[in-house]
Amino acid sequence: QVQLVESGGGLVQPGGSLRLSCAASGAIRMVNTMYWYHQSEGKDREMVASITTNGDTNYADSVKGRFTISRNDAGRTSSLQMTTLKPEDSGVYSCSAVILTEDAVSYAFYSGQGTQVAVSS
């Protein structure tokens, strides 16, 4: 069984920084692209960052220049460094990944439960 577990959320003042982490575990053969999503109250979930196995990254316009996604540990962990945080960055951040499990013949999309971020003075 595959699990994605996020950590690092919390309360931070506007202008502050947080670093979120995501770890994939289980019977995994390969982790392809990894994503971070943001969902704030009353709004649709938004993809804020993604990173491929080659390290190519993509960001939502709302976080460009402020957030940085990375991956390591043989591609099974991902981090989201968030700086210059704004109140509108508050919400639940969840990690997702396209994963090939050991007993599968095709990739599937998995997501974690998320971690809460609150940006407030």
Side-chain angles (χ1 to χ4, degrees), residues 4-10 18-24 31-40 44-52 56-64 67-72 75-82 89 91-98 109-117:
L4 291 170
V5 179
E6 302 94 340
S7 60
L18 275 178
R19 186 178 182 87
L20 306 182
S21 297
C22 169
V31 179
N32 204 319
T33 301
M34 301 186 79
Y35 306 84
W36 282 95
Y37 287 85
H38 170 227
Q39 185 164 24
S40 55
D44 292 335
R45 193 171 76 146
E46 173 193 32
M47 194 279 288
V48 295
S50 65
I51 185 166
T52 70
D56 295 327
T57 58
N58 188 38
Y59 297 93
D61 288 341
S62 59
V63 306
K64 279 181 182 176
F67 290 11
T68 303
I69 188 172
S70 60
R71 65 189 293 172
N72 49 31
R76 297 194 179 192
T77 65
S78 174
S79 295
L80 185 69
Q81 179 67 47
M82 306 186 296
D89 294 322
V92 176
Y93 285 79
S94 59
C95 170
S96 297
V98 178
F109 191 80
Y110 294 85
S111 294
Q113 293 296 310
T115 185
Q116 185 78 40
V117 171

